Structures are given as structure tokens and as C-alpha cells.
Amino acid sequence: MESTLRILDAVSKSYPPGSKEEAAVQLAAVSLLYLRRLKKLDGFLEYHREFSDSSAHVSIAKEFGTQADADMWLASGEAVDGALVRIDGRGFQVIQLPKGLKFLRTPLPDALGPPAPK
């Protein structure tokens, strides 16, 4: 985990202080520290291994060639919170925010490479 935190720190420095990007990277780092403090990091790492295991069945709700097509689907009312989609080859998850559904960039298991040895 220490190497992950060092990487997140380095990445956050590539964005201007106070930017949304820097804040997002910092949130990821603080989230890991929080899980460690609550002694829930092992459970999270197990979840990550399961998520990354390409043999695990993860259903992709839809695939779109363009962001415009994906946005139309999101606005259609068919999308549900938590759905995984692929847009122009990249993974996203539908998330419910106070102002409606949005896409959150999410690596899909098949994009993470081979599973870690057990």
C-alpha cells in the first residue's frame, strides 16, 4: 500500500493545487488511509482482487462507440446506479448523484490485466 500512496502523491503533484483532479487523487489516498485506520483495508484488498480477477463474471450493461450515444442512454431512464458500461473502449460505472445519474471512469476487470497470483 505504501507504494500506491507514493504513486498517488506523485500523481496529485502533476495537477494544479486546488484543482478537481488533485482533489480526486487526494480523496483516493485518504480513502485508503481511512480503510487502514478502520482495519478494513484487508477486506477492501480482497474485494479489489476479486474485482480484478478476470475469471470473475462482471456483466457490462452496455457498450457505446461514442460518448454522445452513452449520454443519450443515460438520459433515457434505462440506466441504473452501479451499471458498468464501456464507452469508446473505456470503462465507466453509472453513479447516482443528487442531480442525477452520471458516468464515473472505472477500470473494468478485463482492462486490469491478468489476475494476481493467489
Side-chain angles (χ1 to χ4, degrees), residues 2 7-8 12 20 33-34 46-47 49 51 57 62 67 69-70 72-73 78 82 84 93-94 96 100 102 113:
E2 298 308 317
I7 291 167
L8 289 170
S12 75
K20 292 187 295 185
L33 293 170
Y34 181 72
E46 178 60 29
Y47 171 78
R49 277 188 290 279
F51 185 85
H57 177 71
K62 289 281 202 175
Q67 184 69 49
D69 290 341
M72 285 182 5
W73 175 75
E78 291 181 47
L84 295 175
Q93 183 172 22
V94 176
Q96 179 68 56
K102 300 287 181 197

Side-chain angles (χ1 to χ4, degrees), residues 24-58:
V25 174
Q26 290 297 322
L27 178 62
V30 170
S31 298
L32 290 174
L33 293 170
Y34 181 72
L35 288 170
R36 182 166 67 181
R37 181 183 218 177
L38 293 178
K39 302 192 182 329
K40 302 229 181 236
L41 186 60
D42 289 341
F44 169 75
L45 293 174
E46 178 60 29
Y47 171 78
H48 180 263
R49 277 188 290 279
E50 290 171 10
F51 185 85
S52 300
D53 185 352
S54 63
S55 67
H57 177 71
V58 176

